[in-house]
Amino acid sequence: MKKLAGILIIVLVICFAAYEFQASESEDVQRVMAFGDSLTYGKGDKDGEGYIDGLEDELNNPQSEQKVSFWNYGIKGQETDGVMKQLDDYRIKTKLDEADTFIVFIGTNDLINSNGGNLEKISDRKINEGKREYINHLKKITSTLIEANDKADILVVGLYNPIKDNQKLEKHIRDYNESIKGLADKGERMLFIPTNDLFEDEKKTKYFSDKLHPNEKGYQLIANRVLESYDFK
């Protein structure tokens, strides 16, 4: 009986030590939650998961003392109302306070779908109406994150124009980005990160996998911009 009790004590000590190690280890790991559409999901990158994969590789390189864990909640085809539903899902909602940083890269599908589902013929009226709804949704998204987590920064990534020779679309992309930046600038823990200039004067075949989605090189440009703009620490 004494022998059994001794074994149980040893097992409990080992379990407690393992728990303490995992707890201390988890405290050293930064958690980044990313919300968005196919651009956050990584569509078009055959070797990884888009810009999130690029951030993860760079921040967790062998020479770095920091460790960063990314939770990628990007969904292909998603709009801002989809992100709002995600944030109301208890499986995600209950984890929001665990994040050290949030990334929100959403809006491309909102713009395209407000125009009728494509960018062939630009309707100023429809896109302007859609932008008002988009900004309202983005305010709700960022407000939810701020209320759920009192320490995490929110990186709001701007949109880019996938058709640079379309000046009507370029005007709307800039309008969207001005509104996004205006919203981010009002928040104490929010940062706007532009992307529209990344693909200017660049051959599309070099950085894109299709008409809309970047390839590995294109996503790396976005990852580099995030790293230049924000210090993960």
Side-chain angles (χ1 to χ4, degrees), residues 57-77:
D57 287 346
E58 180 62 30
L59 292 171
N60 292 312
N61 69 75
Q63 287 74 39
S64 175
E65 294 182 359
Q66 64 182 352
K67 296 299 177 185
V68 185
S69 174
F70 283 84
W71 297 354
N72 190 345
Y73 293 112
I75 296 177
K76 290 183 284 187

Side-chain angles (χ1 to χ4, degrees), residues 87-105:
L87 297 180
D88 198 41
D89 185 329
Y90 78 95
R91 293 170 296 183
I92 296 176
K93 189 176 184 178
T94 54
K95 295 180 180 179
L96 293 177
D97 64 345
E98 298 179 29
D100 296 294
T101 308
F102 293 112
I103 298 177
V104 179
F105 189 5

Side-chain angles (χ1 to χ4, degrees), residues 2 42 117 149 176:
K2 289 182 179 180
N149 189 313
Y176 257 69

Side-chain angles (χ1 to χ4, degrees), residues 10 28 39 55 62 83 135 137 191 216:
I10 292 172
D28 295 334
L39 299 177
L55 290 174
V83 176
I135 291 299
H137 286 175
L191 174 67
E216 301 78 46

Side-chain angles (χ1 to χ4, degrees), residues 4-233:
L4 179 59
I7 293 174
L8 287 174
I9 291 172
I10 292 172
V11 171
L12 288 172
V13 169
I14 292 173
C15 290
F16 180 77
Y19 171 81
E20 286 293 308
F21 174 77
Q22 290 177 352
S24 62
E25 185 181 52
S26 63
E27 291 176 0
D28 295 334
V29 176
Q30 297 180 53
R31 296 180 180 85
V32 180
M33 293 186 182
F35 296 93
D37 49 33
S38 57
L39 299 177
T40 295
Y41 177 86
K43 183 177 179 181
D45 183 352
K46 66 179 185 295
D47 294 332
E49 298 179 355
Y51 75 92
I52 293 295
D53 194 52
L55 290 174
E56 193 165 21
D57 287 346
E58 180 62 30
L59 292 171
N60 292 312
N61 69 75
Q63 287 74 39
S64 175
E65 294 182 359
Q66 64 182 352
K67 296 299 177 185
V68 185
S69 174
F70 283 84
W71 297 354
N72 190 345
Y73 293 112
I75 296 177
K76 290 183 284 187
Q78 182 156 252
E79 297 181 38
T80 44
D81 58 353
V83 176
M84 289 164 62
K85 291 177 181 177
Q86 282 183 302
L87 297 180
D88 198 41
D89 185 329
Y90 78 95
R91 293 170 296 183
I92 296 176
K93 189 176 184 178
T94 54
K95 295 180 180 179
L96 293 177
D97 64 345
E98 298 179 29
D100 296 294
T101 308
F102 293 112
I103 298 177
V104 179
F105 189 5
I106 191 73
T108 299
N109 292 313
D110 295 72
L111 187 154
I112 293 174
N113 291 333
S114 71
N115 193 58
N118 60 67
L119 298 174
E120 293 175 7
K121 187 177 180 180
I122 300 299
S123 170
D124 294 335
R125 179 183 60 80
K126 290 181 179 179
I127 291 180
N128 286 333
E129 289 177 356
K131 191 188 81 169
R132 286 192 288 271
E133 182 179 51
Y134 164 77
I135 291 299
N136 185 44
H137 286 175
L138 189 60
K139 285 180 181 177
K140 291 180 179 179
I141 290 168
T142 53
S143 294
T144 298
L145 296 177
I146 289 171
E147 290 174 7
N149 189 313
D150 62 2
K151 67 180 188 302
D153 293 326
I154 304 173
L155 312 183
V156 187
V157 182
L159 310 186
Y160 60 80
N161 182 3
I163 313 173
K164 278 297 181 183
D165 57 353
N166 188 327
Q167 292 305 309
K168 289 192 72 175
L169 177 59
E170 179 67 18
K171 177 183 178 299
H172 286 293
I173 293 292
R174 290 181 179 178
D175 286 345
Y176 257 69
N177 284 330
E178 285 179 10
S179 296
I180 297 169
K181 185 177 187 301
L183 174 62
D185 287 347
K186 292 178 182 178
E188 293 182 4
R189 291 183 281 125
M190 294 171 61
L191 174 67
F192 172 73
I193 300 179
T195 63
N196 195 33
D197 63 305
L198 293 176
F199 304 107
E200 289 180 350
D201 304 322
E202 298 288 358
K203 289 185 178 180
K204 190 159 187 178
T205 54
K206 183 178 180 181
Y207 291 105
F208 283 79
S209 63
D210 56 30
K211 292 181 179 180
L212 177 63
H213 301 92
N215 57 21
E216 301 78 46
K217 291 182 179 179
Y219 277 120
Q220 192 58 52
L221 289 181
I222 296 174
N224 290 343
R225 171 58 58 81
V226 174
L227 290 169
E228 291 167 1
S229 305
Y230 182 73
D231 183 15
F232 291 85
K233 58 182 180 179

